[in-house]
Amino acid sequence: KSRKVLYVSTKEDNLHSQNVGEEIKRFLENQGYYVGVIVNSGNGCQVGLKVNIDISSEDKRSDFLSKVISFENDLGRFDDEVVKIDCITKDVNRRIKLPGTINKKDTHQGEDRIATITYLASEINTERNNAIFESIRINEPEKLQPENKPQDNSKSGKEYREVIKLMYKGKNKKE
């Protein structure tokens, strides 16, 4: 939130966000979800929850986005003076920070922070996650229209998506 220095969280706030991420993981697991990954982006915490939901049509994508907003609102209980819940899935241009990369928010940033995996599940039950996610109820006024943003088809965008797929399979690019 507003405690950042030149768009970068303090070390203390970054540590706090990691602790809140662990609380969110426990909360989601108590709801029945399988949390797949927690990433320290170097500037905050990202909790990954894998679902395999069909978004092939505008109606399906709109329904999915509305559920993400409802899900985000429910997780708002973890917002505080440091942490602001932001389900990045609703904005396809903001993706999970790729572990092993440097998070450089500002050219004046004093130190490089490396994104790291702090938790990686050995098994993920996507069907169970799908069923719980699909049960989220939304009000009609909350229905969103999907943004018509082009998919990143650059070489780096395709490579990024391939690396994420391999991570979930427990492999790396060399395998």
Side-chain angles (χ1 to χ4, degrees):
K1 287 189 173 180
S2 62
R3 297 165 44 115
K4 294 180 179 182
V5 179
L6 296 174
Y7 306 103
V8 180
S9 68
T10 64
K11 286 182 181 181
E12 295 81 14
D13 288 355
N14 188 27
L15 178 60
H16 174 72
S17 73
Q18 302 313 305
N19 292 333
V20 172
E22 288 293 331
E23 288 178 40
I24 291 170
K25 176 183 177 287
R26 285 189 294 276
F27 171 78
L28 292 171
E29 288 173 341
N30 286 337
Q31 300 273 325
Y33 285 106
Y34 284 87
V35 174
V37 66
I38 298 177
V39 174
N40 177 343
S41 72
N43 201 43
C45 182
Q46 299 174 333
V47 178
L49 181 66
K50 184 179 179 186
V51 293
N52 186 16
I53 306 292
D54 180 9
I55 56 171
S56 60
S57 70
E58 286 208 23
D59 285 343
K60 289 177 181 179
R61 182 167 170 80
S62 176
D63 188 51
F64 173 77
L65 292 173
S66 296
K67 288 180 181 189
V68 168
I69 297 297
S70 180
F71 185 74
E72 179 180 75
N73 290 339
D74 191 32
L75 291 178
R77 69 184 72 212
F78 294 98
D79 284 353
D80 61 23
E81 70 279 355
V82 175
V83 172
K84 168 70 174 101
I85 301 301
D86 177 18
C87 290
I88 61 174
T89 309
K90 69 180 184 286
D91 182 353
V92 296
N93 290 326
R94 296 184 62 214
R95 297 183 178 107
I96 192 168
K97 184 57 74 174
L98 186 62
T101 61
I102 296 173
N103 188 343
K104 193 78 156 178
K105 287 280 197 177
D106 188 279
T107 57
H108 303 292
Q109 182 176 330
E111 67 177 291
D112 291 339
R113 295 185 181 174
I114 307 293
T116 58
I117 296 174
T118 60
Y119 170 79
L120 183 62
S122 59
E123 180 181 341
I124 300 170
N125 186 330
T126 306
E127 289 178 18
R128 185 167 168 179
N129 284 354
N130 288 351
I132 298 167
F133 184 81
E134 289 286 9
S135 72
I136 294 173
R137 297 198 182 272
I138 51 174
N139 298 326
E140 279 306 309
E142 292 177 347
K143 277 260 189 195
L144 296 179
Q145 294 305 314
E147 297 178 44
N148 291 322
K149 293 183 180 178
Q151 184 176 359
D152 179 2
N153 286 318
S154 67
K155 182 178 178 188
S156 62
K158 289 179 182 178
E159 184 172 316
Y160 171 84
R161 288 188 296 278
E162 186 59 33
V163 168
I164 294 299
K165 286 179 190 174
L166 291 172
M167 280 176 47
Y168 273 112
K169 292 178 182 176
K171 299 179 180 180
N172 62 43
K173 282 181 70 172
K174 293 179 183 176
E175 292 179 2

